[in-house]
Amino acid sequence: TGLQGLQTNSGATAPQWANSPQSLMTAAGDILYASGANTLAKLAKGSDDEILTLASGIPSWAAAASGGKIGQVLSDIGTAKISTTSTTQVTTGIAVTITPAATTSKVFLTANIGTLGQNTYPARTFFTIVGGNAATYIGDAADSAHRVSSCNCVDRADYAQVGSQINYLDSPSTTSATTYTLFYWSDIGTTVLNSASTTGGSSGNAASSLTAMEVLA
């Protein structure tokens, strides 16, 4: 028939008609492979964005793996100068709400505290993120100390300014909207966020942020 070719059989004892490669490829994108020794077979073209893989030793098309890709990025920024005298955690008002696409997704959280100040020396300021399972990212309970995600201590009152940062990979295991909030508090005195306690032309007013990135499984 059309597009067949004349060849010897496998035993080289007689001629036979055989399908040519052109007769097997009936559509643009078709691929030829060996389904056995000296046996041509056709793999029909796949769909856009699929990848070529092997299944039981036979070529096939499959959806590209999505692991490690960032599905979405959300961020909130606080630029206002705020302060607290609380010795237990209070909200900074900086928060993000993210709805994971799958329960297997993880959420990478990064909090950047641009600057903080204190009116007392020496004094510590503590930070943590609340939401999902992020509250588990804190230090242990030894010595009855504050359990925090990040801590900074000023070495000079009034004019001192330092920054801080938190990085944490959370596994919320949900497809429901999840809110993450940055909290802060002080061990003594007044903590000032985004500025020094005493400001002037030499001080720096900064911004703080909380970012949530969905990492697909």
Side-chain angles (χ1 to χ4, degrees):
T1 59
L3 298 179
Q4 284 191 322
L6 189 62
Q7 67 179 22
T8 57
N9 60 21
S10 59
T13 59
Q16 66 177 18
W17 294 106
N19 291 328
S20 66
Q22 291 90 339
S23 68
L24 293 175
M25 296 186 290
T26 58
D30 289 347
I31 293 176
L32 292 177
Y33 69 95
S35 61
N38 303 315
T39 305
L40 283 177
K42 178 188 74 174
L43 174 63
K45 67 178 181 179
S47 300
D48 290 350
D49 298 326
E50 285 187 322
I51 61 171
L52 189 62
T53 186
L54 282 177
S56 301
I58 301 298
S60 60
W61 295 104
S66 60
K69 291 184 178 180
I70 300 301
Q72 55 180 316
V73 179
L74 299 171
S75 186
D76 188 30
I77 298 174
T79 60
K81 176 181 177 180
I82 61 175
S83 63
T84 184
T85 58
S86 176
T87 55
T88 58
Q89 64 184 34
V90 292
T91 182
T92 63
I94 301 173
V96 292
T97 298
I98 189 169
T99 304
T103 57
T104 53
S105 292
K106 297 183 183 299
V107 177
F108 182 70
L109 300 165
T110 179
N112 181 67
I113 294 88
T115 186
L116 60 97
Q118 259 280 355
N119 71 345
T120 303
Y121 164 77
R124 298 176 181 85
T125 299
F126 309 117
F127 294 92
T128 193
I129 298 173
V130 174
N133 297 311
T136 61
Y137 182 62
I138 55 175
D140 66 27
D143 304 320
S144 300
H146 291 262
R147 302 184 68 190
V148 305
S149 301
S150 181
C151 173
N152 241 314
C153 183
V154 299
D155 58 1
R156 180 183 176 189
D158 296 329
Y159 298 102
Q161 288 185 266
V162 293
S164 196
Q165 193 172 57
I166 302 172
N167 293 302
Y168 172 64
L169 185 63
D170 189 32
S171 299
S173 300
T174 183
T175 55
S176 298
T178 303
T179 299
Y180 296 95
T181 305
L182 180 64
F183 282 75
Y184 76 136
W185 67 104
S186 173
D187 68 331
I188 190 174
T190 301
T191 287
V192 180
L193 188 66
N194 291 335
S195 186
S197 177
T198 299
T199 59
S202 299
S203 62
N205 291 332
S208 299
S209 65
L210 176 62
T211 301
M213 295 178 280
E214 181 183 4
V215 183
L216 302 175

